[in-house]
Amino acid sequence: MRVEFGVLGAVSAWDEAKEPLRLKGPRHRAVLARLIVARRRVVPVVRLAEDLWEEPPGDAIGSLRTFVGDLRRALEPDRPPRTPPRLLITEGSGYALRVPKDDVDAWRFEEVVESLGDAGPALVAQRLDEALGWWRGPAFADFGDERWLRSERSRLTELRLHAVERLADARISLGRAAEAVPDLDAHVTDHPWREDAWRLLALALYRSGRQADALSVLRRARAMLRDQLGVDPSARLRRLEEDVLRQAEHLDPDADASVNRVWEQATAAYEGALGSRARTRLESTVGLMRDLAVTGGGGLEAARHHRVAAVAAAEQLGDPELTARVIGVYDVPAIWTRSDDPEQARWLVDTSERTLRALVPGSHDAARCRLLATIAVESRGALPVGEAASGVLARPLQAAGQAEEIARRLGDPGLLAFALNGTFMQSFRRTGLALRRDGIGAEVVALSGHHDLVRYEVLGHLIRIQARCALADLAAADRHADTVDELADRHELPLVSVFTTWYRALRTASAGSREAAEAAYAQASDSLRDAGMPGLEHGLAPLARLSVRLRHGASAAEEDADADWGPYEPWVRPLLLIEGGRTEEARAALRGIASPPRDLMTEALWCLTAGAAIAVGDRTVMERAHTQLLPASGEMAAGSGLITLGPVAEQVGALEEALA
């Protein structure tokens, strides 16, 4: 049986049904109180006798054993004979009360106060309001000024006074100043030496619109401190009086504080109302992760981690409809075609496929659409050249098409925007499709603008920046970049500036000097620091410097011999080997070179491969490169919106000349 002990008032004990246990006389309660003060440590019998009697009688030890026996029967009435006690134990020549922290109200109160640390005011108000309710009177109220109790009683009393003041401070911060006034008024009456209590009472009155009363309280505090304690008010209290007199602006909460207050109150209320409803908690968690993902840096990384944990937890519950909702609610717009975490992406795709198969056929169309769109988005860059006909590898294309068809049929704008994101991610089945992607971006912009889908509106503009770069329409790309920066600033989307900063570096590289281009790319590289986007960041900076050198006729290997080329290394290595005079190694590298992934870098990587193949005269690779680049001969090798290698037609012409 669980037993709870109370010392925040008269010493008491209750069983699991909250019924009070009979603890007999004051000596029994004194033994129990003394053991609680010891906090699970053993108290020798001799020490107990000295603490309970000023002059211990001759039979003190025997009496103590009787008291302990009576307490054990009260605390564990169902304990079988000759079995050791579980709560009040004998150890050596003494006794100890071995109970969990949560079973003693004073220990539980202390734990709450210490655990709050720098918690927000809503949580502080909620937890302290409950914890202060555990007090039924002064600590150990049925005992006098016993020496063994003085320190513990003083400590608990101070802890309570601090909690009362912190609760009042939290209520004031939450805009509930009037609610704090009555408790603070009683508090300063009982404890007039506590300056912080006077300060809080004056502030609560002022924020309740009672300036005159606030001034009166501050003057009462000054008089009391001088007359009764012989001290002047602290500088903090004097400043508050001056600020109240001149109605200082800082005494009123600013806009940010109001916003924070609303957030604190809403989240605390939601947490309290939600309780332990696991399914609702999971969906809410992923919704929060969706918002967290666009905050940048650690937020994006945390969102990816917690998203997977939420999906796994949903799948464990064995409810495919719930799993579909948890997967699908994370409709964070995706612009970059290389995954930040390929292993996680594969896991999400596999889970989405399992969930699709588990749904009842012919039902849950919206959930199916979101699962299909998730498959399309998370399978970004998964189709190598020449293998799109493979059933396994064609699945993302099929999923994108199915998601878009369902979304259009349902007429749900948010669903269609998510599906079009999947369509964009799978729009790289060959080179030269910039115009097709521009059309996708234009539809996303129009759809999002009409239905106030701000994040997808940003996505649409970013897609159009990339497409207009590939179509050599930098004036239009500029307009989209300006619009997207304005949207990002207005709606607090910090990650967006990474892409516009890199676009403007491309802009500089297209028209400026080599020095200006390298400086612009150095600034762009800084924007990636702590952005939380390894799929974008890894290898991009050296690739950008290489693009500048090639455009200005400089050595490909200059300064970057030991650079980390990341995923681009296989298509850069042949050029570096050639520049280093290792032509045969370059030929060997080209001989087994794979096709670049079908993504935003495809044309650029084929151009690098073509240049190396021309340099060593590898006709097979030249023919492959010509076949792949020919559809894009009317475009720029700039479809990423980040780097440019100039007109694709120049490389196609060089290949045709070399092949002739």
Side-chain angles (χ1 to χ4, degrees), residues 400-461:
Q402 290 174 339
E404 190 177 337
E405 183 275 325
I406 295 173
R408 292 189 188 280
R409 173 162 50 81
L410 294 177
D412 183 327
L415 209 54
L416 180 55
F418 188 21
L420 286 171
N421 198 169
T423 300
F424 163 71
M425 282 296 175
Q426 298 303 323
S427 63
F428 300 88
R429 59 186 181 276
R430 64 169 174 82
T431 61
L433 291 175
L435 195 59
R436 160 74 173 135
R437 288 191 287 279
D438 192 49
I440 295 171
E443 182 175 5
V444 173
V445 168
L447 176 73
S448 304
H450 187 65
H451 295 283
D452 199 27
L453 304 171
V454 174
R455 292 173 186 176
Y456 278 105
E457 188 176 359
V458 168
L459 172 69
H461 285 294

Side-chain angles (χ1 to χ4, degrees), residues 314-336:
E315 200 174 23
Q316 280 182 332
L317 291 173
D319 183 344
E321 295 175 36
L322 172 67
T323 307
R325 291 197 300 271
V326 170
I327 292 172
V329 77
Y330 191 90
D331 54 355
V332 177
I335 184 64
W336 192 242

Side-chain angles (χ1 to χ4, degrees), residues 32 94 122 213 226 234 249 262 310 329 454 508 536 541 583 597 621 646:
L32 183 59
D213 288 338
R226 284 178 178 170
S234 65
E249 288 185 7
V262 170
V329 77
V454 174
T508 301
L536 175 65
T583 306
V621 176

Side-chain angles (χ1 to χ4, degrees), residues 169 172-173 177 181 184 197-210 214 217-218 240 244 250-252:
D169 193 18
I172 294 169
S173 298
V181 169
L184 280 170
W198 288 104
R199 180 188 66 80
L200 287 167
L201 176 57
L203 183 59
L205 287 165
Y206 183 84
R207 290 197 178 173
S208 302
R210 298 166 61 182
V217 160
L218 289 166
L240 178 59
V244 169
H250 72 82
L251 291 183
D252 292 309

Side-chain angles (χ1 to χ4, degrees), residues 454-478:
V454 174
R455 292 173 186 176
Y456 278 105
E457 188 176 359
V458 168
L459 172 69
H461 285 294
L462 290 174
I463 291 173
R464 297 206 72 186
I465 290 171
Q466 295 168 340
R468 299 323 294 182
C469 283
L471 297 170
D473 185 1
L474 296 183
D478 286 344

